[in-house]
Amino acid sequence: MKMQLEGALAETTTDGNAGETEELEETSFFEIPAVFSSTTLTDEGRSNRAIFAQASFRFWERVFITPGVRLEDNQQFGTDPNARIAAAYLHRKTQTKIRASWGTGITEPRLDQNFGANGNRDLEPEQAVGWDAGVDQWLFEDQVRVSVTYFENRLQDMILFESSFAPPFGTYINGGDGITRGIEAEAEARLFKIVTIGASYTYLRTRATDVDAPADSAPTLIEDEVFLRRPAHSGRAYVGVNVQDTAGLFIDLNYVGRREDSSFTDRRATLI
């Protein structure tokens, strides 16, 4: 759909709906030899429906604005609206783009977190509010692209596993808030029209800002500490060769830096 406005062109307007149904079948067995044993059968499901709309506006071939909204309706946790807006300015003479975006979103509990042996039917989705800003620069007649982005996300109602007295006994709870922020840098070049090479690097900082679960329950978050399994440094390098209608080759190397993990019997993590 196209809509002409004064000084601008709404290039596309998109709306629609989506739906899915998830099911979990699980058998859990617990035994204390010669004392006690039990078997639990789980057969549960939930459905999710969503409607969404998005528009893309282009002003004077330089300014681009894309707003969007999405409404989730989940059988388990109800209705949740979210929105996103992205904007960019392109300086065509220097081929420099300045861009930014802001949005909200949710992460649904997994089926086993809702209905499994350690599940919690009252779990709510994790909530997130995030924004980013960055610059893209094209060089050498668009053969080289360099990008730098700063991002920040604030998370609420994070899903944690809270031990009862020793793993694996316990349940999932909405018990924490946190923040992630960092910088991403990327460069890509096209050579001889058939070769693409590139590399990217991400520096990530995480911190739990508020945790409801007591530290002695070995939760997956500890207040004022970093998130588990989130490396501060990560990167990627790749090279691709594509001979049109003949053959192609792509090599991708990934680097993941040291990160904290835990046995959950003692949350004080060790680096791996």
Side-chain angles (χ1 to χ4, degrees):
M1 175 180 176
K2 290 190 175 182
M3 178 173 57
Q4 185 71 46
L5 302 176
E6 183 178 356
L9 174 66
E11 290 191 302
T12 58
T13 302
T14 306
D15 60 74
N17 62 83
E20 65 176 356
T21 299
E22 301 174 286
E23 294 185 357
L24 173 69
E25 294 183 3
E26 180 181 85
T27 301
S28 303
F29 178 76
F30 174 73
E31 180 181 19
I32 301 176
V35 178
F36 174 79
S37 68
S38 69
T39 301
T40 303
L41 302 178
T42 301
D43 186 0
E44 297 283 354
R46 69 186 182 196
S47 62
N48 190 74
R49 301 290 183 268
I51 57 175
F52 56 87
Q54 178 177 289
S56 297
F57 297 94
R58 173 167 49 97
F59 296 82
W60 310 290
E61 303 294 336
R62 295 181 179 179
V63 178
F64 306 87
I65 300 177
T66 304
V69 294
R70 183 181 178 97
L71 180 66
E72 301 278 355
D73 184 20
N74 188 279
Q75 181 182 7
Q76 187 66 24
F77 55 77
T79 302
D80 201 302
N82 288 283
R84 182 179 185 272
I85 185 167
Y89 171 77
L90 177 62
H91 191 279
R92 293 191 177 275
K93 185 175 182 179
T94 61
Q95 284 297 89
T96 304
K97 178 187 284 187
I98 302 172
R99 52 183 167 73
S101 69
W102 173 93
T104 64
I106 63 172
T107 300
E108 299 178 1
R110 300 192 312 267
L111 279 180
D112 65 290
Q113 292 175 333
N114 265 148
F115 305 117
N118 300 108
N120 179 356
R121 293 174 179 269
D122 295 325
L123 274 185
E124 296 291 331
E126 297 180 344
Q127 303 284 337
V129 179
W131 67 275
D132 63 73
V135 178
D136 301 323
Q137 179 66 60
W138 285 267
L139 303 166
F140 306 112
E141 298 181 346
D142 296 343
Q143 297 301 300
V144 176
R145 176 181 56 85
V146 179
S147 301
V148 177
T149 304
Y150 174 84
F151 61 89
E152 182 172 304
N153 298 288
R154 294 187 177 271
L155 312 173
Q156 292 184 319
D157 297 329
M158 297 177 66
I159 297 173
L160 316 178
F161 183 79
E162 183 180 27
S163 296
S164 297
F165 56 90
F169 302 100
T171 190
Y172 292 98
I173 63 171
N174 292 107
D177 300 339
I179 184 171
T180 66
R181 54 166 66 100
I183 296 175
E184 294 179 341
E186 182 180 5
E188 183 177 273
R190 297 186 61 189
L191 308 174
F192 314 115
K193 296 184 179 180
I194 64 171
V195 178
T196 301
I197 61 173
S200 63
Y201 166 77
T202 300
Y203 173 68
L204 176 66
R205 295 184 63 188
T206 65
R207 183 169 63 90
T209 56
D210 182 57
V211 178
D212 295 335
D216 58 5
S217 67
T220 46
L221 281 182
I222 292 291
E223 195 163 316
D224 292 324
E225 291 194 10
V226 301
F227 296 177
L228 294 180
R229 306 187 186 109
R230 301 289 185 91
H233 305 278
S234 61
R236 175 182 178 231
Y238 57 90
V239 58
V241 179
N242 185 18
V243 181
Q244 190 173 8
D245 301 325
T246 304
L249 174 67
F250 194 86
I251 300 174
D252 194 347
L253 300 175
N254 291 276
Y255 167 76
V256 178
R258 300 179 70 187
R259 57 207 186 276
E260 289 195 358
D261 206 344
S262 173
S263 66
F264 302 109
T265 55
D266 179 1
R267 168 58 179 88
R268 302 298 166 177
T270 57
L271 288 173
I272 63 172

